[in-house]
Amino acid sequence: MELSFSFIIPVYNRPIEIEELLESFLTLKGNHSYEIVIVEDGSTITSKAIVDKYIDKLDISYYFKSNSGPGDSRNFGMQHAKGNYFIILDSDCLLPSHYLQEVEASLKLNYVDCFGGPDKAHHSFSNLQKAIDFSMTSVITTGGIRGNKSSLDKFQPRSFNMGLSKLAFKATKGFGNIHPGEDPDLSIRLWDLGFKTTLFPEAYVYHKRRISWSKFYKQVNKFGSVRPILNKWHPQTKKITYWFPTMFFIGVIIALFLTLFNLFLPLYLVLFYYCLIFVVAVLKTKNIIIAFQALLAVSIQFFGYGYGFLKSTILLHFKSEKPEVIFPHLFFKN
């Protein structure tokens, strides 16, 4: 099959991000034919003026629609795209020059109807962005689930860097209205229909999260909150590993409590783990300040996700209402 790519990019009040992303398209190597579909999701600060600057340089289609969330906006973009293979990006990503070469080569070698790529930190990112990137991607924090080569089989692509064939989109009707969590939900529905997903390890993007500590906590807390909902919808995907962040922060509380009785071994184990995080972060980032910030990032990630997961699990168990009623802030009304 001749591949024809359409990049689908939803955006909400982020014109500066769109300019940086479009600028990275100009550095792509190869003579690939592709289009860029930008979907403005009801923004009050639009990207239209930025897009107009690149109309003569790139094949861009621009659409403005009322706000209905990133999942619905991606579906809108795919419905209006001309290609037969969609590549979905977040507006806060940058593309390395080899990106499309890697995607096309990987699809020709091992065609799948859905792929995901990892995210990395660009050298120009702030220390905070690099610390959060470490927390989200390191093997000793998340197990490398956002880009670990050992997780190639049954990989759940994330929509910041995700490929989806037109065939698979039509079969699934795309993303649901939950957010976050719309991407693993789509992956599971693809598996149920017999489609395969995989990881393309070298098709990475630079994920430039414009984030603060409070926004990071809110983000990971939502990640934890949606997982029990996905487990309820797709019980065959339940894993004990989803409980690890909850078990960790409860374990820290217990370790601190036990010191009142002169039992220090559990606390020493916690401190050993934090020392390991610090050492690995220093070795990876070559920056002691980022390593210290990584300690805070990991703590926020584990507590935020773990608390959200535990609270959501309890509410879903004891309440009879649908998740949309219990957690209205996790669903968009299309």
Side-chain angles (χ1 to χ4, degrees):
M1 180 181 67
E2 187 69 25
L3 292 172
S4 175
F5 295 107
S6 293
F7 285 88
I8 312 298
I9 307 167
V11 59
Y12 180 71
N13 289 338
R14 300 289 180 88
I16 295 177
E17 288 183 354
I18 284 296
E19 183 163 23
E20 293 176 337
L21 176 53
L22 292 178
E23 195 65 30
S24 73
F25 272 98
L26 298 177
T27 69
L28 289 180
K29 296 177 181 177
N31 297 314
H32 308 284
S33 176
Y34 63 87
E35 66 165 339
I36 303 169
V37 180
I38 295 178
V39 182
E40 193 88 59
D41 186 26
S43 299
T44 55
I45 307 172
T46 74
S47 304
K48 184 64 167 62
I50 299 298
V51 172
D52 287 343
K53 291 169 56 177
Y54 291 85
I55 287 293
D56 296 332
K57 303 175 183 179
L58 297 165
D59 181 5
I60 307 178
S61 298
Y62 175 85
Y63 299 94
F64 185 95
K65 53 178 279 299
S66 59
N67 180 250
S68 59
D72 187 59
S73 296
R74 297 181 194 113
N75 293 343
F76 181 95
M78 290 185 280
Q79 290 165 356
H80 290 79
K82 305 182 186 73
N84 58 19
Y85 208 102
F86 310 129
I87 300 178
I88 302 159
L89 301 174
D90 277 358
S91 62
D92 58 354
C93 289
L94 303 174
L95 296 179
S97 59
H98 71 278
Y99 179 83
L100 199 48
Q101 287 179 324
E102 185 64 36
V103 168
E104 188 167 37
S106 297
L107 286 173
K108 287 182 177 179
L109 180 66
N110 178 31
Y111 181 84
V112 288
D113 286 283
C114 181
F115 76 85
D119 57 337
K120 294 187 176 184
H122 192 265
H123 64 83
S124 65
F125 289 5
S126 69
N127 287 347
L128 173 60
Q129 289 168 328
K130 291 176 181 178
I132 291 175
D133 174 80
F134 174 85
S135 179
M136 297 283 280
T137 62
S138 175
V139 173
I140 65 169
T141 56
T142 64
I145 59 173
R146 296 171 67 88
N148 184 3
K149 293 184 179 181
S150 65
S151 60
L152 283 168
D153 294 333
K154 303 290 279 187
F155 179 72
Q156 293 184 6
R158 296 295 187 263
S159 50
F160 64 83
N161 179 15
M162 179 181 191
L164 185 70
S165 72
K166 187 175 183 178
L167 176 66
F169 170 64
K170 287 185 173 181
T172 58
K173 298 181 181 178
F175 295 94
N177 64 343
I178 191 171
H179 178 73
E182 70 274 20
D183 27 22
D185 172 62
L186 176 57
S187 294
I188 298 165
R189 289 188 286 114
L190 284 166
W191 298 339
D192 290 343
L193 291 172
F195 291 100
K196 293 182 178 180
T197 64
T198 193
L199 170 71
F200 290 165
E202 297 306 318
Y204 59 83
V205 299
Y206 299 114
H207 201 178
K208 192 173 186 177
R209 300 177 182 87
R210 299 187 185 279
I211 203 165
S212 63
W213 290 122
S214 60
K215 289 180 180 178
F216 181 51
Y217 173 81
K218 184 178 180 179
Q219 181 187 59
V220 294
N221 182 257
K222 283 186 174 182
F223 287 162
S225 297
V226 301
R227 180 52 66 177
I229 299 174
L230 297 176
N231 290 344
K232 183 179 179 68
W233 288 350
H234 311 286
Q236 73 278 16
T237 64
K238 289 182 179 179
K239 294 180 181 179
I240 188 64
T241 52
Y242 296 142
W243 280 96
F244 284 0
T246 302
M247 294 163 62
F248 178 81
F249 89 76
I250 291 177
V252 171
I253 294 173
I254 292 174
L256 292 172
F257 177 75
L258 289 176
T259 61
L260 298 176
F261 304 94
N262 293 322
L263 296 173
F264 295 99
L265 179 59
L267 182 61
Y268 292 155
L269 293 175
V270 171
L271 294 175
F272 174 78
Y273 177 65
Y274 274 101
C275 289
L276 181 63
I277 291 172
F278 182 81
V279 171
V280 174
V282 168
L283 292 175
K284 180 179 179 180
T285 66
K286 307 297 190 297
N287 189 309
I288 195 169
I289 296 175
I290 297 174
F292 277 115
Q293 288 181 315
L295 296 176
L296 179 57
V298 171
S299 300
I300 291 173
Q301 180 176 325
F302 282 2
F303 179 79
Y305 185 102
Y307 175 67
F309 183 90
L310 180 62
K311 181 180 178 181
S312 179
T313 299
I314 294 172
L315 290 176
L316 288 171
H317 182 76
F318 288 103
K319 289 195 172 186
S320 58
E321 293 95 339
K322 292 182 177 180
E324 293 87 341
V325 177
I326 303 174
F327 308 101
H329 63 292
L330 299 178
F331 293 87
F332 278 91
K333 294 182 179 180
N334 299 337

